[in-house]
Structure formats: C-alpha cells, structure tokens
Amino acid sequence: MTAMPHAPLTQAEVLLEGFLALDTPEGFRAELIEGEIVVTPPPDGDHEKYISRVLRQVIRNSLVDMDVSGNKGLKVAGSPERPRNHVIPDLTFAPVGADLFAGADSWMPGDGVAMVLEVTSSRPSADRESKRRCYARGGIPLYLLVDRDTSTVTLFTDPESGDYRELHAVPFGKPLPLPAPFGFDLETADFL
C-alpha cells in the first residue's frame, strides 16, 4: 500500500485541532476566541448571582417561553485566516419551540439562538470586545453583558458586519428593556 501525500495543515487547522484535543481540569472551560485559546477558572459566587438574577427574570417574564443552557458551546464565524470561534456563553437562550438544544453536539451553531449572556470575570476585556464580535459575527441578535467592574448592564443589538450596531447600557439599579421575543424590563436593583 502506498502512502498518499496530504496537504499540509494550515495554522488555523493546527490551532483548531489542538483546541479540540484540550483536556481542561474540572470546572475550567476552554474557548477559541479570535484565534486565541482562552482557559478560564470556575466562576466565583458573585458571578453566579448575576446569572441567577437574569435567568429567574427571563423564565418568569419572557413573552416567549425560553429554553436555557448554561455553558453551551457555540461555533460562530471566524475570519478567513482563523478557525471558527468556539465560545461558551454563561447562558444561551432559545425559544422553546425551536428545540435547539435537543440532540445538539457539544459545539453547536448559533443559528436560532435568541440571546446570550456574559457576566465579566477574570478576563473582562474578552467579554466586552472579542466575544461581543464573535456573537455578532454569529448573527446572535441579542448580547447581554453584565459588567461587574463598571456596575453596568449592556444590551447589544442589531448585529452587522462583525459587530453590533446598537447598544443600550444602564447602571446597576436601573431597568433595562429587553425587546421581543423577551418583551420585558430587566430589573437590576438587586444587582447592587
């Protein structure tokens, strides 16, 4: 049997293979964001508090019933010289009727996702910048960012050309309107 020559792997392919082969310690998560492998430790209690506050309100008040996944891997578009981004939002929301999570692989496309939530932690610049661009390139219509350092909640909307065209930010303590399919004001008084 003759060995067949293979085209050499591109740098993006090598990076993606290395990323997918990672064996991160329990509780840690690894993401591939704009060509960089990012490993983050388990979150602290305050991080989880904000996630819980948002989740409870969405479940109680959303106009459309939402499925939610914590730490769901999403594959979203990258640039031509980089592999697809592999991001893990703190929460991923999708309409129950879409049934997006049923049978989904560990890393699923972002198609049909209604909103993602991030709460800043050890790398706030990633949440503010690179992950924001990743979600916009993935066509995710709403990106909700709870920024613990600035005590603000920001909703990014209208993704186009690799970023969100609009944002609405409020300080902790003020309500933030969430558009359809959510259709309610997110209360942030208990974020203080």
Side-chain angles (χ1 to χ4, degrees), residues 29 31 43 47-48 51 68-72 88-92 116-121 127 131 135 146:
R29 68 180 183 190
E31 299 173 284
H47 184 272
E48 297 303 285
I51 291 171
V68 62
S69 178
N71 299 309
K72 179 68 188 122
I88 305 173
D90 290 323
L91 290 179
T92 302
V116 292
L117 165 72
E118 292 287 358
V119 176
T120 57
S121 54
D127 296 324
K131 289 184 91 171
Y135 297 139
V146 177

Side-chain angles (χ1 to χ4, degrees), residues 167-191:
L167 66 90
H168 184 111
V170 298
F172 287 0
K174 301 285 185 187
L176 176 67
L178 296 180
F182 299 93
F184 72 94
D185 288 352
L186 180 72
E187 295 297 334
T188 66
D190 60 354
F191 286 23

Side-chain angles (χ1 to χ4, degrees), residues 37-177:
I37 296 174
V38 178
V39 178
T40 54
D44 62 29
D46 286 339
H47 184 272
E48 297 303 285
K49 174 185 97 169
Y50 294 115
I51 291 171
S52 177
R53 299 294 193 270
V54 171
L55 176 59
R56 283 198 331 257
Q57 290 185 58
V58 168
I59 297 300
R60 289 179 185 159
N61 302 320
S62 183
L63 294 176
V64 173
D65 284 341
M66 290 287 159
D67 276 334
V68 62
S69 178
N71 299 309
K72 179 68 188 122
L74 298 178
K75 289 188 290 188
V76 296
S79 61
E81 67 277 359
R82 293 184 179 146
R84 284 183 154 273
N85 293 293
H86 287 64
V87 291
I88 305 173
D90 290 323
L91 290 179
T92 302
F93 296 95
V96 167
D99 206 15
L100 287 184
F101 304 127
D105 290 332
S106 299
W107 296 99
M108 67 177 232
D111 302 338
V113 169
M115 181 171 74
V116 292
L117 165 72
E118 292 287 358
V119 176
T120 57
S121 54
S122 58
R123 292 180 52 115
S125 63
D127 296 324
R128 292 180 193 130
E129 300 294 330
S130 53
K131 289 184 91 171
R132 184 194 77 231
R133 290 188 300 269
C134 288
Y135 297 139
R137 280 193 297 271
I140 295 171
L142 303 173
Y143 171 37
L144 185 64
L145 174 64
V146 177
D147 194 319
R148 299 189 301 171
D149 295 334
T150 62
S151 299
T152 59
V153 182
T154 304
L155 181 67
F156 297 92
T157 63
D158 200 13
E160 187 177 290
S161 301
D163 208 347
Y164 288 95
R165 294 188 323 160
E166 295 187 27
L167 66 90
H168 184 111
V170 298
F172 287 0
K174 301 285 185 187
L176 176 67

